[in-house]
Structure formats: structure tokens, C-alpha cells
Amino acid sequence: MRYKKSSRSGSHSNCVEVAHTLTHLRDSKNPAGPTLAANAHALIIYVRSAQR
């Protein structure tokens, strides 16, 4: 699965990465570690509300 780091994160910053499917999240400090399964629709709503 491919993951993408936030465009707002610096090149050396640690952050949450989101899978291209929008169904899994992981810690960028530990890419081989556990992931969190997410509901894609709920994740989109959350991100949009956090941008306000």
C-alpha cells in the first residue's frame, strides 16, 4: 500500500501518513509499524472540518 505524508509537514518532521486508498493511517516515524484502519468518508469529513 502506498502512503503519502502531509504537504504541510516539513522534510524532517514526523507526522501521520495516509494511504492512497484513504483507508489506513500510519506514523511516519515507524512505517513498518501498525496502521490504523479508517473509514474513508469519515476521514474526508474530518480533514475538511479541520481546515476551517
Side-chain angles (χ1 to χ4, degrees):
M1 190 172 308
R2 294 180 320 211
Y3 285 83
K4 181 170 175 134
K5 190 156 65 162
S6 168
S7 61
R8 291 187 174 223
S9 125
S11 60
H12 299 290
S13 297
N14 297 317
C15 68
V16 173
E17 296 177 330
V18 179
H20 70 283
T21 59
L22 299 179
T23 57
H24 289 83
L25 306 166
R26 73 178 182 188
D27 184 347
S28 66
K29 295 184 304 284
N30 187 9
T35 62
L36 175 67
N39 175 290
H41 181 71
L43 182 59
I44 290 167
I45 290 171
Y46 173 76
V47 169
R48 286 183 178 164
S49 69
Q51 293 176 342
R52 294 180 189 161

